[in-house]
Amino acid sequence: MFLAIFIIQWANEDSPVYRPLIQDMRLVDSVKIADVLDQERIYYYADVKNHMLYVNQEQSELARVALAKIGIVIEYPQITKHTDLNKAYDEFIKQTKAEEENGKVWERPWFFKLVKLVMGATIIIVLIFTVVRPALASIIYDEDEK
């Protein structure tokens, strides 16, 4: 039972996975970007040594949209600052659609959660067939013999 509870908790665990948002913080106004991320309640951390800004992977799209609202569009490896916010947002949407069309299934965030759930279910089923079923069978057959 403890193993089953551990596996279920492990499968539902949401440890944040951080991915780089900005590769060179020296090129942008980092205080302005940090203010926007704070306002949107996006979890981030800055790697001062490497001049990189990381955001929670699940919130990376929200971070990019929030930055596009203030006119900063991130196109790796360059960062474009637009004065027209509609143009910045359109550029972001175009970039997002291109990533969705070209993305691989196993690189999407939901895929790893699904793999963890399938592995957990498999282990629980094996546990039931190897431990619980024989134990119940021995209890039931022992009572029938008495």
Side-chain angles (χ1 to χ4, degrees), residues 50-97:
N50 295 323
H51 306 287
M52 294 181 73
L53 181 74
Y54 294 90
V55 294
N56 187 349
Q57 182 174 357
E58 294 176 357
Q59 296 176 316
S60 64
E61 291 299 316
L62 177 61
R64 294 176 69 196
V65 168
L67 292 176
K69 286 180 186 176
I70 64 167
I72 298 174
V73 176
I74 300 168
E75 298 176 56
Y76 295 109
Q78 63 181 2
I79 298 171
T80 308
K81 182 150 175 74
H82 295 282
T83 54
D84 183 15
L85 298 183
N86 290 329
K87 184 178 177 185
Y89 186 72
D90 291 340
E91 184 71 25
F92 170 75
I93 294 298
K94 182 176 75 174
Q95 188 178 6
T96 303
K97 286 182 181 177

Short mmCIF file of all heavy atoms in Angstrom, two decimals, residues 50-97:
data_model
loop_
_atom_site.label_atom_id
_atom_site.label_comp_id
_atom_site.label_asym_id
_atom_site.label_seq_id
_atom_site.Cartn_x
_atom_site.Cartn_y
_atom_site.Cartn_z
N ASN A 50 25.56 33.41 -15.84
CA ASN A 50 25.45 33.16 -17.28
C ASN A 50 24.55 34.17 -18.00
O ASN A 50 24.29 34.01 -19.19
CB ASN A 50 24.92 31.75 -17.53
CG ASN A 50 25.89 30.71 -17.04
OD1 ASN A 50 27.09 30.88 -17.15
ND2 ASN A 50 25.37 29.63 -16.50
N HIS A 51 24.02 35.15 -17.27
CA HIS A 51 23.16 36.21 -17.82
C HIS A 51 21.90 35.63 -18.46
O HIS A 51 21.48 36.07 -19.53
CB HIS A 51 23.92 37.07 -18.85
CG HIS A 51 25.18 37.64 -18.33
ND1 HIS A 51 25.21 38.67 -17.42
CD2 HIS A 51 26.48 37.31 -18.56
CE1 HIS A 51 26.45 38.97 -17.14
NE2 HIS A 51 27.25 38.15 -17.80
N MET A 52 21.29 34.63 -17.82
CA MET A 52 20.09 33.98 -18.37
C MET A 52 18.94 34.14 -17.40
O MET A 52 19.13 34.20 -16.19
CB MET A 52 20.34 32.51 -18.66
CG MET A 52 21.34 32.28 -19.77
SD MET A 52 21.60 30.55 -20.13
CE MET A 52 20.08 30.15 -20.94
N LEU A 53 17.73 34.17 -17.95
CA LEU A 53 16.51 34.23 -17.16
C LEU A 53 15.70 32.97 -17.47
O LEU A 53 15.43 32.67 -18.63
CB LEU A 53 15.69 35.47 -17.50
CG LEU A 53 14.40 35.62 -16.71
CD1 LEU A 53 14.73 36.05 -15.28
CD2 LEU A 53 13.49 36.63 -17.36
N TYR A 54 15.34 32.23 -16.42
CA TYR A 54 14.58 31.01 -16.57
C TYR A 54 13.17 31.22 -16.02
O TYR A 54 12.99 31.89 -15.01
CB TYR A 54 15.23 29.87 -15.78
CG TYR A 54 16.57 29.46 -16.29
CD1 TYR A 54 17.74 30.06 -15.81
CD2 TYR A 54 16.69 28.48 -17.24
CE1 TYR A 54 18.98 29.67 -16.29
CE2 TYR A 54 17.93 28.08 -17.72
CZ TYR A 54 19.07 28.68 -17.23
OH TYR A 54 20.29 28.30 -17.69
N VAL A 55 12.18 30.63 -16.69
CA VAL A 55 10.80 30.65 -16.20
C VAL A 55 10.29 29.22 -16.10
O VAL A 55 10.82 28.31 -16.75
CB VAL A 55 9.87 31.48 -17.12
CG1 VAL A 55 10.25 32.93 -17.11
CG2 VAL A 55 9.84 30.93 -18.51
N ASN A 56 9.24 29.05 -15.32
CA ASN A 56 8.59 27.76 -15.19
C ASN A 56 8.10 27.33 -16.57
O ASN A 56 7.49 28.10 -17.29
CB ASN A 56 7.43 27.87 -14.21
CG ASN A 56 6.81 26.54 -13.88
OD1 ASN A 56 7.09 25.53 -14.52
ND2 ASN A 56 5.95 26.54 -12.89
N GLN A 57 8.38 26.10 -16.96
CA GLN A 57 8.06 25.63 -18.30
C GLN A 57 6.57 25.75 -18.60
O GLN A 57 6.19 26.09 -19.71
CB GLN A 57 8.51 24.18 -18.47
CG GLN A 57 8.26 23.64 -19.85
CD GLN A 57 8.85 22.26 -20.04
OE1 GLN A 57 9.49 21.73 -19.16
NE2 GLN A 57 8.62 21.68 -21.19
N GLU A 58 5.73 25.47 -17.62
CA GLU A 58 4.29 25.54 -17.84
C GLU A 58 3.81 26.98 -18.03
O GLU A 58 2.76 27.21 -18.59
CB GLU A 58 3.55 24.90 -16.67
CG GLU A 58 3.79 23.41 -16.57
CD GLU A 58 3.14 22.79 -15.37
OE1 GLU A 58 2.54 23.52 -14.55
OE2 GLU A 58 3.22 21.57 -15.24
N GLN A 59 4.59 27.95 -17.56
CA GLN A 59 4.21 29.33 -17.68
C GLN A 59 5.01 30.08 -18.74
O GLN A 59 4.90 31.29 -18.86
CB GLN A 59 4.38 30.04 -16.34
CG GLN A 59 3.49 29.50 -15.25
CD GLN A 59 3.77 30.17 -13.93
OE1 GLN A 59 4.92 30.35 -13.54
NE2 GLN A 59 2.71 30.54 -13.23
N SER A 60 5.79 29.37 -19.54
CA SER A 60 6.66 30.05 -20.50
C SER A 60 5.85 30.76 -21.59
O SER A 60 6.22 31.86 -22.01
CB SER A 60 7.65 29.07 -21.12
OG SER A 60 6.98 28.09 -21.87
N GLU A 61 4.76 30.16 -22.03
CA GLU A 61 3.93 30.83 -23.04
C GLU A 61 3.29 32.08 -22.47
O GLU A 61 3.23 33.11 -23.13
CB GLU A 61 2.86 29.88 -23.57
CG GLU A 61 3.42 28.75 -24.40
CD GLU A 61 4.16 29.23 -25.62
OE1 GLU A 61 3.66 30.14 -26.31
OE2 GLU A 61 5.25 28.70 -25.89
N LEU A 62 2.82 31.99 -21.23
CA LEU A 62 2.24 33.16 -20.58
C LEU A 62 3.29 34.26 -20.44
O LEU A 62 2.99 35.44 -20.64
CB LEU A 62 1.67 32.78 -19.21
CG LEU A 62 1.10 33.91 -18.36
CD1 LEU A 62 -0.07 34.57 -19.08
CD2 LEU A 62 0.68 33.38 -17.01
N ALA A 63 4.51 33.89 -20.12
CA ALA A 63 5.59 34.87 -20.00
C ALA A 63 5.86 35.54 -21.33
O ALA A 63 6.04 36.76 -21.40
CB ALA A 63 6.85 34.21 -19.47
N ARG A 64 5.88 34.76 -22.38
CA ARG A 64 6.13 35.34 -23.70
C ARG A 64 4.99 36.27 -24.13
O ARG A 64 5.22 37.30 -24.75
CB ARG A 64 6.37 34.23 -24.72
CG ARG A 64 7.66 33.47 -24.40
CD ARG A 64 7.90 32.33 -25.29
NE ARG A 64 8.21 32.82 -26.63
CZ ARG A 64 8.18 32.06 -27.71
NH1 ARG A 64 7.84 30.80 -27.61
NH2 ARG A 64 8.49 32.56 -28.87
N VAL A 65 3.75 35.89 -23.81
CA VAL A 65 2.61 36.76 -24.13
C VAL A 65 2.69 38.05 -23.32
O VAL A 65 2.46 39.15 -23.84
CB VAL A 65 1.27 36.03 -23.88
CG1 VAL A 65 0.11 36.99 -23.93
CG2 VAL A 65 1.07 34.92 -24.88
N ALA A 66 3.02 37.92 -22.03
CA ALA A 66 3.12 39.11 -21.18
C ALA A 66 4.21 40.05 -21.68
O ALA A 66 4.03 41.28 -21.67
CB ALA A 66 3.39 38.70 -19.73
N LEU A 67 5.31 39.50 -22.13
CA LEU A 67 6.38 40.35 -22.68
C LEU A 67 5.99 40.93 -24.03
O LEU A 67 6.36 42.06 -24.36
CB LEU A 67 7.68 39.56 -22.78
CG LEU A 67 8.31 39.18 -21.44
CD1 LEU A 67 9.54 38.32 -21.67
CD2 LEU A 67 8.64 40.39 -20.63
N ALA A 68 5.21 40.18 -24.81
CA ALA A 68 4.74 40.71 -26.10
C ALA A 68 3.78 41.88 -25.88
O ALA A 68 3.73 42.80 -26.69
CB ALA A 68 4.07 39.61 -26.91
N LYS A 69 3.04 41.85 -24.77
CA LYS A 69 2.13 42.95 -24.47
C LYS A 69 2.87 44.26 -24.26
O LYS A 69 2.34 45.33 -24.54
CB LYS A 69 1.30 42.64 -23.22
CG LYS A 69 0.23 41.62 -23.44
CD LYS A 69 -0.51 41.38 -22.14
CE LYS A 69 -1.51 40.27 -22.25
NZ LYS A 69 -2.16 39.98 -20.95
N ILE A 70 4.10 44.18 -23.74
CA ILE A 70 4.87 45.41 -23.54
C ILE A 70 5.81 45.68 -24.70
O ILE A 70 6.60 46.63 -24.66
CB ILE A 70 5.65 45.39 -22.20
CG1 ILE A 70 6.70 44.28 -22.20
CG2 ILE A 70 4.71 45.28 -21.03
CD1 ILE A 70 7.71 44.40 -21.07
N GLY A 71 5.73 44.84 -25.74
CA GLY A 71 6.48 45.11 -26.95
C GLY A 71 7.79 44.35 -27.10
O GLY A 71 8.56 44.64 -27.99
N ILE A 72 8.04 43.35 -26.26
CA ILE A 72 9.28 42.57 -26.36
C ILE A 72 8.93 41.18 -26.88
O ILE A 72 8.22 40.42 -26.23
CB ILE A 72 9.98 42.46 -25.00
CG1 ILE A 72 10.37 43.84 -24.51
CG2 ILE A 72 11.20 41.56 -25.10
CD1 ILE A 72 10.93 43.87 -23.11
N VAL A 73 9.42 40.86 -28.08
CA VAL A 73 9.18 39.55 -28.68
C VAL A 73 10.50 38.80 -28.70
O VAL A 73 11.50 39.32 -29.18
CB VAL A 73 8.60 39.68 -30.10
CG1 VAL A 73 8.45 38.31 -30.74
CG2 VAL A 73 7.26 40.39 -30.06
N ILE A 74 10.48 37.58 -28.19
CA ILE A 74 11.70 36.78 -28.09
C ILE A 74 11.72 35.79 -29.24
O ILE A 74 10.88 34.90 -29.32
CB ILE A 74 11.75 36.06 -26.74
CG1 ILE A 74 11.73 37.09 -25.62
CG2 ILE A 74 12.95 35.16 -26.66
CD1 ILE A 74 11.50 36.52 -24.26
N GLU A 75 12.66 35.97 -30.14
CA GLU A 75 12.90 35.04 -31.24
C GLU A 75 14.35 34.61 -31.10
O GLU A 75 15.24 35.40 -31.31
CB GLU A 75 12.72 35.73 -32.59
CG GLU A 75 11.33 36.27 -32.83
CD GLU A 75 11.29 37.01 -34.14
OE1 GLU A 75 11.63 36.41 -35.16
OE2 GLU A 75 10.91 38.18 -34.13
N TYR A 76 14.54 33.35 -30.71
CA TYR A 76 15.90 32.92 -30.44
C TYR A 76 16.72 32.98 -31.71
O TYR A 76 16.27 32.54 -32.74
CB TYR A 76 15.91 31.53 -29.83
CG TYR A 76 15.26 31.52 -28.48
CD1 TYR A 76 14.02 30.92 -28.28
CD2 TYR A 76 15.86 32.15 -27.41
CE1 TYR A 76 13.42 30.94 -27.04
CE2 TYR A 76 15.26 32.17 -26.18
CZ TYR A 76 14.04 31.57 -26.00
OH TYR A 76 13.45 31.60 -24.78
N PRO A 77 17.92 33.46 -31.67
CA PRO A 77 18.69 33.98 -30.55
C PRO A 77 18.55 35.48 -30.35
O PRO A 77 19.24 36.07 -29.54
CB PRO A 77 20.13 33.65 -30.94
CG PRO A 77 20.13 33.76 -32.42
CD PRO A 77 18.76 33.31 -32.86
N GLN A 78 17.64 36.15 -31.05
CA GLN A 78 17.54 37.60 -30.91
C GLN A 78 16.25 37.99 -30.20
O GLN A 78 15.28 37.25 -30.19
CB GLN A 78 17.62 38.26 -32.27
CG GLN A 78 16.46 37.90 -33.19
CD GLN A 78 16.60 38.56 -34.53
OE1 GLN A 78 17.56 39.25 -34.78
NE2 GLN A 78 15.63 38.34 -35.40
N ILE A 79 16.27 39.16 -29.63
CA ILE A 79 15.10 39.72 -28.96
C ILE A 79 14.75 41.00 -29.69
O ILE A 79 15.59 41.89 -29.85
CB ILE A 79 15.39 39.99 -27.48
CG1 ILE A 79 15.74 38.69 -26.77
CG2 ILE A 79 14.22 40.68 -26.81
CD1 ILE A 79 16.26 38.86 -25.38
N THR A 80 13.51 41.08 -30.15
CA THR A 80 13.08 42.24 -30.91
C THR A 80 12.16 43.09 -30.05
O THR A 80 11.26 42.56 -29.40
CB THR A 80 12.30 41.78 -32.17
OG1 THR A 80 13.08 40.84 -32.88
CG2 THR A 80 11.98 42.96 -33.06
N LYS A 81 12.39 44.37 -30.04
CA LYS A 81 11.54 45.28 -29.30
C LYS A 81 10.71 46.05 -30.31
O LYS A 81 11.23 46.77 -31.15
CB LYS A 81 12.36 46.23 -28.44
CG LYS A 81 11.49 47.15 -27.61
CD LYS A 81 12.18 47.53 -26.33
CE LYS A 81 11.38 48.54 -25.55
NZ LYS A 81 10.23 48.00 -24.92
N HIS A 82 9.39 45.87 -30.25
CA HIS A 82 8.47 46.55 -31.15
C HIS A 82 7.83 47.73 -30.44
O HIS A 82 7.51 47.66 -29.25
CB HIS A 82 7.36 45.60 -31.60
CG HIS A 82 7.85 44.45 -32.42
ND1 HIS A 82 8.17 44.56 -33.74
CD2 HIS A 82 8.07 43.16 -32.09
CE1 HIS A 82 8.55 43.39 -34.20
NE2 HIS A 82 8.51 42.51 -33.22
N THR A 83 7.61 48.79 -31.16
CA THR A 83 6.88 49.92 -30.57
C THR A 83 5.38 49.74 -30.77
O THR A 83 4.58 50.21 -29.96
CB THR A 83 7.32 51.24 -31.22
OG1 THR A 83 7.17 51.14 -32.64
CG2 THR A 83 8.76 51.55 -30.86
N ASP A 84 4.98 49.03 -31.80
CA ASP A 84 3.58 48.75 -32.05
C ASP A 84 3.22 47.44 -31.37
O ASP A 84 3.72 46.38 -31.75
CB ASP A 84 3.32 48.67 -33.56
CG ASP A 84 1.85 48.46 -33.88
OD1 ASP A 84 1.01 48.65 -32.97
OD2 ASP A 84 1.54 48.11 -35.03
N LEU A 85 2.37 47.49 -30.35
CA LEU A 85 2.05 46.30 -29.57
C LEU A 85 1.26 45.28 -30.38
O LEU A 85 1.42 44.07 -30.18
CB LEU A 85 1.27 46.69 -28.31
CG LEU A 85 2.03 47.60 -27.34
CD1 LEU A 85 1.19 47.85 -26.11
CD2 LEU A 85 3.34 46.98 -26.96
N ASN A 86 0.42 45.72 -31.30
CA ASN A 86 -0.33 44.78 -32.14
C ASN A 86 0.62 43.97 -33.02
O ASN A 86 0.45 42.77 -33.21
CB ASN A 86 -1.36 45.51 -33.00
CG ASN A 86 -2.49 46.05 -32.17
OD1 ASN A 86 -2.85 45.48 -31.15
ND2 ASN A 86 -3.05 47.17 -32.60
N LYS A 87 1.62 44.64 -33.56
CA LYS A 87 2.61 43.95 -34.39
C LYS A 87 3.40 42.95 -33.55
O LYS A 87 3.69 41.84 -33.99
CB LYS A 87 3.55 44.97 -35.02
CG LYS A 87 4.55 44.38 -35.97
CD LYS A 87 5.41 45.45 -36.60
CE LYS A 87 6.46 44.84 -37.50
NZ LYS A 87 7.37 45.83 -38.04
N ALA A 88 3.74 43.33 -32.31
CA ALA A 88 4.47 42.42 -31.42
C ALA A 88 3.64 41.19 -31.09
O ALA A 88 4.14 40.06 -31.11
CB ALA A 88 4.86 43.15 -30.13
N TYR A 89 2.37 41.40 -30.81
CA TYR A 89 1.49 40.27 -30.48
C TYR A 89 1.29 39.37 -31.69
O TYR A 89 1.30 38.15 -31.57
CB TYR A 89 0.16 40.77 -29.93
CG TYR A 89 -0.72 39.67 -29.43
CD1 TYR A 89 -0.41 39.00 -28.25
CD2 TYR A 89 -1.85 39.27 -30.14
CE1 TYR A 89 -1.20 37.97 -27.79
CE2 TYR A 89 -2.64 38.24 -29.69
CZ TYR A 89 -2.31 37.60 -28.52
OH TYR A 89 -3.09 36.58 -28.06
N ASP A 90 1.10 39.95 -32.88
CA ASP A 90 0.95 39.16 -34.10
C ASP A 90 2.20 38.33 -34.38
O ASP A 90 2.11 37.16 -34.79
CB ASP A 90 0.65 40.06 -35.30
CG ASP A 90 -0.74 40.69 -35.21
OD1 ASP A 90 -1.59 40.14 -34.47
OD2 ASP A 90 -0.96 41.72 -35.88
N GLU A 91 3.36 38.91 -34.14
CA GLU A 91 4.62 38.19 -34.33
C GLU A 91 4.72 37.02 -33.36
O GLU A 91 5.16 35.92 -33.71
CB GLU A 91 5.80 39.15 -34.13
CG GLU A 91 7.14 38.54 -34.38
CD GLU A 91 7.40 38.26 -35.84
OE1 GLU A 91 6.81 38.92 -36.71
OE2 GLU A 91 8.20 37.35 -36.12
N PHE A 92 4.28 37.24 -32.13
CA PHE A 92 4.29 36.17 -31.13
C PHE A 92 3.35 35.04 -31.52
O PHE A 92 3.71 33.87 -31.43
CB PHE A 92 3.90 36.74 -29.76
CG PHE A 92 3.66 35.67 -28.74
CD1 PHE A 92 4.73 34.99 -28.17
CD2 PHE A 92 2.38 35.32 -28.36
CE1 PHE A 92 4.52 34.00 -27.25
CE2 PHE A 92 2.16 34.33 -27.44
CZ PHE A 92 3.23 33.66 -26.88
N ILE A 93 2.15 35.36 -31.97
CA ILE A 93 1.18 34.34 -32.38
C ILE A 93 1.71 33.54 -33.56
O ILE A 93 1.59 32.31 -33.60
CB ILE A 93 -0.18 34.99 -32.71
CG1 ILE A 93 -0.80 35.60 -31.45
CG2 ILE A 93 -1.13 33.99 -33.34
CD1 ILE A 93 -1.10 34.61 -30.35
N LYS A 94 2.32 34.22 -34.53
CA LYS A 94 2.89 33.53 -35.69
C LYS A 94 3.99 32.56 -35.25
O LYS A 94 4.07 31.43 -35.71
CB LYS A 94 3.45 34.57 -36.67
CG LYS A 94 4.01 33.96 -37.94
CD LYS A 94 4.46 35.02 -38.90
CE LYS A 94 5.75 35.63 -38.41
NZ LYS A 94 6.37 36.57 -39.33
N GLN A 95 4.82 32.99 -34.32
CA GLN A 95 5.91 32.16 -33.83
C GLN A 95 5.37 30.96 -33.05
O GLN A 95 5.87 29.84 -33.18
CB GLN A 95 6.82 33.02 -32.95
CG GLN A 95 8.09 32.36 -32.52
CD GLN A 95 8.92 33.31 -31.69
OE1 GLN A 95 8.51 34.41 -31.35
NE2 GLN A 95 10.10 32.88 -31.35
N THR A 96 4.32 31.16 -32.26
CA THR A 96 3.72 30.08 -31.48
C THR A 96 3.11 29.02 -32.38
O THR A 96 3.28 27.82 -32.13
CB THR A 96 2.65 30.65 -30.53
OG1 THR A 96 3.25 31.64 -29.71
CG2 THR A 96 2.06 29.57 -29.65
N LYS A 97 2.42 29.44 -33.41
CA LYS A 97 1.82 28.47 -34.34
C LYS A 97 2.89 27.66 -35.05
O LYS A 97 2.72 26.46 -35.27
CB LYS A 97 0.93 29.20 -35.35
CG LYS A 97 -0.36 29.68 -34.76
CD LYS A 97 -1.22 30.35 -35.80
CE LYS A 97 -2.50 30.85 -35.16
NZ LYS A 97 -3.35 31.57 -36.12
#
